[in-house]
């Protein structure tokens, strides 16, 4: 990570049954969002601020129009007001988020290029041996925005209402069930492969570069199941097109307390959909402090917070040091998950 990241690394997670430990790290980070922005290690000198001289871009690894954009848009809009410059969301899907991440890595560390970090950022080091960058040394973690709930949903035409029923259906029709993820190397991809292995079922993985593509195939029933952000599925759950089988969070969702977690059926299976902001390596410490302070300020805006929570996001607003530790722990978690799942690039 950035040179200002803590030298002491947290204890690695060695097994998938440590989901609660991973949750604890996010909860601990959430506590930081309740503290004043001027934390001891991020105390901002008087007058220190980010004054962009041109438009700022936030590079997203997913397609435009999906749930990721719905989270970034309110943040970008308020940052534009604060900075007096346009803040553009630049969608660069493909390569399991590698294209977007490399765009950030290659940009000047001047604050004008930021990137959205999602789970694929921490999965790629285990899934891909040919990454064109080093995740830990060529990016600067700025802020962990929060985490979203990811859900396993199925098309209503399958006639199943719960996860055991879905597994039984898939076992009775080996190779006939297809499931969508939001891309190769995403949390849904690896978790779906792991579910298939744990449940002993044969399913066909159909990856998309974001939720908009996945829904185009899922809603007509051409793909029967998918891992998607829960909030994006709500209209289709309400109208009966889709059915909710499980959430990937370590705990049940407040909106759907009767719906189990994946881990209740398969211990240790599941993950949280992290969202964070990163920048190129070499970001000056004063600029890092200013960027973090500005983003936390916007995340504290009631209007922005309400919009993000409407997207099923738990807003955390963790500082760079905490975000760096979360990234390292997530890399360790996914290293185990990728190995057990047998997830491949094709």
């Amino acid at each position: 990570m950035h040179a200002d990241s803590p030298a002491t690394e947290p204890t690695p997670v060695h097994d998938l049954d440590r989901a609660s430990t991973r949750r604890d790290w996010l909860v601990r980070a959430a506590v930081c969002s309740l503290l004043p922005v001027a934390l001891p290690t991020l105390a901002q000198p008087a007058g220190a601020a980010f004054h962009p001289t041109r438009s700022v871009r936030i590079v997203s690894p997913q397609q435009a129009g999906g749930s990721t954009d719905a989270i970034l848009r309110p943040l970008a809009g308020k940052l534009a007001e604060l900075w007096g410059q346009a803040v553009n969301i630049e969608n660069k899907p493909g390569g399991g988020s590698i294209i977007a991440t490399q765009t950030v890595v290659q940009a000047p560390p001047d604050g004008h290029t930021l990137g959205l970090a999602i789970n694929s950022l921490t999965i790629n080091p285990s899934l891909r041996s040919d990454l064109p960058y080093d995740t830990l040394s060529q990016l600067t973690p700025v802020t962990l925005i929060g985490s979203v709930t990811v859900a396993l949903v199925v098309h209503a035409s399958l006639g199943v209402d719960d996860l055991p029923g879905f597994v039984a259906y898939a076992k009775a029709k080996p190779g006939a069930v297809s499931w969508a993820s939001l891309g190769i190397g995403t949390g849904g991809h690896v978790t779906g492969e792991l579910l298939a292995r744990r449940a002993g079922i044969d399913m066909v993985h159909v990856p998309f570069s974001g939720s908009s593509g996945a829904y185009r195939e899922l809603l007509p029933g051409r793909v029967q199941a998918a891992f998607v952000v829960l909030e994006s599925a709500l209209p289709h759950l309400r109208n009966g097109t889709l059915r909710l089988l499980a959430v990937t969070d370590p705990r049940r969702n407040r909106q759907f307390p009767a719906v189990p977690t994946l881990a209740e059926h398969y211990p240790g299976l599941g993950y949280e959909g992290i969202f964070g902001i990163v920048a190129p390596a070499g970001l000056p410490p004063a600029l890092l402090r200013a960027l973090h302070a500005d983003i936390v300020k916007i995340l504290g805006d009631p209007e922005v917070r309400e919009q993000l929570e409407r997207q099923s996001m738990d807003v955390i607003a963790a500082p760079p040091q905490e975000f760096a530790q979360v990234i390292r722990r997530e890399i360790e978690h996914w290293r185990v998950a990728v190995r057990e799942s047998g997830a491949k690039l094709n």
Side-chain angles (χ1 to χ4, degrees):
M1 285 300 157
H2 189 270
D4 286 352
S5 298
T8 303
E9 296 185 20
T11 305
V13 176
H14 291 294
D15 59 75
L16 293 177
D17 292 328
R18 298 291 293 279
S20 60
T21 302
R22 295 170 59 242
R23 177 74 178 188
D24 289 344
W25 272 98
L26 292 178
V27 169
R28 204 177 304 173
V31 173
C32 294
S33 69
L34 303 177
L35 301 176
V37 172
L39 296 168
T41 54
L42 288 173
Q44 194 169 341
F50 178 42
H51 299 292
T53 58
R54 59 186 187 278
S55 62
V56 175
R57 59 177 176 168
I58 302 177
V59 185
S60 170
Q62 298 199 319
Q63 288 178 335
S67 55
T68 298
D69 271 12
I71 290 171
L72 284 179
R73 277 195 300 269
L75 182 65
K78 290 292 185 179
L79 286 174
E81 292 178 15
L82 179 65
W83 290 336
Q85 294 282 356
V87 178
N88 302 314
I89 301 171
E90 189 171 307
N91 298 94
K92 286 186 171 290
S97 83
I98 291 177
I99 295 173
T101 304
Q102 192 169 19
T103 300
V104 178
V105 165
Q106 294 175 341
D110 58 9
H112 290 85
T113 297
L114 303 172
L116 175 67
I118 57 177
N119 292 93
S120 55
L121 178 76
T122 60
I123 294 171
N124 281 331
S126 299
L127 191 62
R128 302 169 186 269
S129 60
D130 57 348
L131 281 181
Y133 53 81
D134 183 274
T135 305
L136 294 176
S137 67
Q138 290 186 270
L139 291 169
T140 299
V142 178
T143 304
L144 175 61
I145 297 172
S147 66
V148 296
T149 296
V150 177
L152 173 61
V153 298
V154 298
H155 197 271
S157 62
L158 265 65
V160 299
D161 296 312
D162 54 27
L163 187 55
F166 174 66
V167 169
Y169 181 94
K171 281 186 174 179
K173 299 176 181 291
V177 174
S178 57
W179 61 279
S181 75
L182 305 188
I184 295 288
T186 59
H189 168 211
V190 177
T191 302
E193 298 287 5
L194 194 51
L195 171 63
R197 179 161 293 199
R198 292 272 190 97
I201 53 180
D202 177 16
M203 300 188 295
V204 178
H205 176 219
V206 185
F208 296 90
S209 296
S211 59
S212 55
Y215 279 116
R216 279 197 297 271
E217 298 300 308
L218 177 63
L219 295 180
R222 291 189 289 269
V223 170
Q224 291 81 40
F227 283 93
V228 294
V229 175
L230 176 59
E231 183 63 28
S232 69
L234 291 182
H236 315 298
L237 294 172
R238 293 186 185 117
N239 67 23
T241 304
L242 302 179
R243 291 178 181 169
L244 175 60
L245 300 189
V247 295
T248 68
D249 281 353
R251 296 181 179 87
R252 292 194 180 198
N253 184 267
R254 290 190 297 271
Q255 292 185 75
F256 298 93
V259 176
T261 67
L262 282 176
E264 289 178 58
H265 293 284
Y266 301 96
L269 185 59
Y271 69 100
E272 292 181 281
I274 63 170
F275 275 73
I277 296 295
V278 294
L283 198 70
L287 180 53
L288 173 60
R289 289 192 289 266
L291 284 169
H292 171 72
D294 286 348
I295 293 170
V296 169
K297 180 178 181 179
I298 297 305
L299 291 175
D301 182 290
E303 181 183 346
V304 171
R305 203 173 189 96
E306 180 184 353
Q307 287 179 285
L308 296 184
E309 289 174 350
R310 216 179 307 155
Q311 297 299 321
S312 77
M313 171 167 281
D314 289 329
V315 179
I316 294 174
Q321 294 90 344
E322 291 281 351
F323 190 20
Q325 292 178 351
V326 168
I327 289 173
R328 290 179 182 274
R329 283 198 167 244
E330 289 295 292
I331 287 175
E332 291 299 325
H333 165 78
W334 290 113
R335 182 172 291 120
V336 177
V338 167
R339 183 171 64 243
E340 182 182 341
S341 69
K344 305 294 183 186
L345 296 180
N346 48 34

